[in-house]
Short mmCIF file of all heavy atoms in Angstrom, two decimals:
data_model
loop_
_atom_site.label_atom_id
_atom_site.label_comp_id
_atom_site.label_asym_id
_atom_site.label_seq_id
_atom_site.Cartn_x
_atom_site.Cartn_y
_atom_site.Cartn_z
N ALA Q 670 94.29 88.32 106.62
CA ALA Q 670 94.01 87.90 105.25
C ALA Q 670 92.70 87.13 105.17
O ALA Q 670 91.89 87.34 104.25
CB ALA Q 670 95.16 87.06 104.70
N GLU Q 671 92.44 86.27 106.12
CA GLU Q 671 91.20 85.50 106.13
C GLU Q 671 90.03 86.38 106.52
O GLU Q 671 88.93 86.25 105.96
CB GLU Q 671 91.34 84.30 107.07
CG GLU Q 671 92.32 83.25 106.56
CD GLU Q 671 92.52 82.11 107.54
OE1 GLU Q 671 91.88 82.12 108.62
OE2 GLU Q 671 93.34 81.22 107.25
N LEU Q 672 90.25 87.30 107.45
CA LEU Q 672 89.20 88.21 107.89
C LEU Q 672 88.69 89.05 106.73
O LEU Q 672 87.50 89.35 106.62
CB LEU Q 672 89.74 89.11 109.01
CG LEU Q 672 88.78 89.90 109.88
CD1 LEU Q 672 87.85 88.97 110.64
CD2 LEU Q 672 89.56 90.77 110.86
N TYR Q 673 89.60 89.45 105.84
CA TYR Q 673 89.26 90.30 104.70
C TYR Q 673 89.20 89.53 103.38
O TYR Q 673 89.13 90.14 102.32
CB TYR Q 673 90.27 91.45 104.60
CG TYR Q 673 89.96 92.59 105.55
CD1 TYR Q 673 90.27 92.51 106.91
CD2 TYR Q 673 89.35 93.75 105.09
CE1 TYR Q 673 89.98 93.56 107.77
CE2 TYR Q 673 89.06 94.80 105.95
CZ TYR Q 673 89.37 94.70 107.29
OH TYR Q 673 89.08 95.73 108.15
N ASP Q 674 89.23 88.20 103.45
CA ASP Q 674 89.11 87.35 102.27
C ASP Q 674 90.15 87.71 101.21
O ASP Q 674 89.84 87.86 100.02
CB ASP Q 674 87.69 87.45 101.68
CG ASP Q 674 87.39 86.34 100.67
OD1 ASP Q 674 87.95 85.23 100.83
OD2 ASP Q 674 86.61 86.58 99.74
N MET Q 675 91.40 87.82 101.64
CA MET Q 675 92.48 88.19 100.74
C MET Q 675 93.15 87.00 100.08
O MET Q 675 94.02 87.17 99.22
CB MET Q 675 93.55 88.99 101.51
CG MET Q 675 93.08 90.34 102.00
SD MET Q 675 94.34 91.08 103.07
CE MET Q 675 93.68 92.74 103.29
N ILE Q 676 92.81 85.79 100.50
CA ILE Q 676 93.39 84.59 99.89
C ILE Q 676 92.33 83.93 99.02
O ILE Q 676 91.26 83.56 99.50
CB ILE Q 676 93.91 83.61 100.96
CG1 ILE Q 676 95.06 84.24 101.74
CG2 ILE Q 676 94.35 82.30 100.32
CD1 ILE Q 676 95.59 83.39 102.87
N HIS Q 677 92.62 83.84 97.73
CA HIS Q 677 91.71 83.22 96.78
C HIS Q 677 92.31 81.89 96.35
O HIS Q 677 93.29 81.86 95.58
CB HIS Q 677 91.50 84.14 95.57
CG HIS Q 677 90.82 85.44 95.93
ND1 HIS Q 677 90.28 86.27 94.97
CD2 HIS Q 677 90.58 86.04 97.13
CE1 HIS Q 677 89.73 87.32 95.57
NE2 HIS Q 677 89.91 87.20 96.87
N PRO Q 678 91.77 80.78 96.84
CA PRO Q 678 92.41 79.47 96.65
C PRO Q 678 92.69 79.09 95.20
O PRO Q 678 93.66 78.40 94.92
CB PRO Q 678 91.40 78.50 97.29
CG PRO Q 678 90.67 79.33 98.30
CD PRO Q 678 90.58 80.69 97.69
N ASN Q 679 91.84 79.53 94.28
CA ASN Q 679 92.08 79.19 92.88
C ASN Q 679 93.25 79.94 92.28
O ASN Q 679 93.75 79.59 91.20
CB ASN Q 679 90.82 79.43 92.04
CG ASN Q 679 89.73 78.41 92.34
OD1 ASN Q 679 90.02 77.29 92.74
ND2 ASN Q 679 88.49 78.79 92.15
N ALA Q 680 93.69 81.02 92.96
CA ALA Q 680 94.88 81.75 92.53
C ALA Q 680 96.10 81.27 93.29
O ALA Q 680 97.16 81.04 92.72
CB ALA Q 680 94.68 83.25 92.72
N SER Q 681 95.94 81.15 94.63
CA SER Q 681 97.01 80.64 95.49
C SER Q 681 96.40 80.24 96.82
O SER Q 681 95.56 80.96 97.36
CB SER Q 681 98.08 81.70 95.72
OG SER Q 681 98.99 81.28 96.73
N THR Q 682 96.82 79.11 97.34
CA THR Q 682 96.28 78.65 98.61
C THR Q 682 97.02 79.24 99.81
O THR Q 682 96.59 79.07 100.94
CB THR Q 682 96.34 77.11 98.70
OG1 THR Q 682 97.71 76.70 98.55
CG2 THR Q 682 95.48 76.46 97.64
N THR Q 683 98.12 79.92 99.56
CA THR Q 683 98.94 80.43 100.68
C THR Q 683 99.17 81.93 100.63
O THR Q 683 99.30 82.57 101.67
CB THR Q 683 100.31 79.73 100.70
OG1 THR Q 683 100.95 79.91 99.42
CG2 THR Q 683 100.16 78.26 100.98
N PHE Q 684 99.23 82.53 99.44
CA PHE Q 684 99.56 83.94 99.32
C PHE Q 684 98.31 84.79 99.07
O PHE Q 684 97.36 84.34 98.43
CB PHE Q 684 100.56 84.16 98.19
CG PHE Q 684 101.89 83.52 98.44
CD1 PHE Q 684 102.40 82.58 97.56
CD2 PHE Q 684 102.64 83.83 99.57
CE1 PHE Q 684 103.63 81.97 97.79
CE2 PHE Q 684 103.86 83.23 99.81
CZ PHE Q 684 104.36 82.30 98.92
#
Side-chain angles (χ1 to χ4, degrees):
E671 292 176 1
L672 195 61
Y673 279 78
D674 195 30
M675 293 173 171
I676 296 177
H677 295 195
N679 288 333
S681 170
T682 58
T683 56
F684 295 122

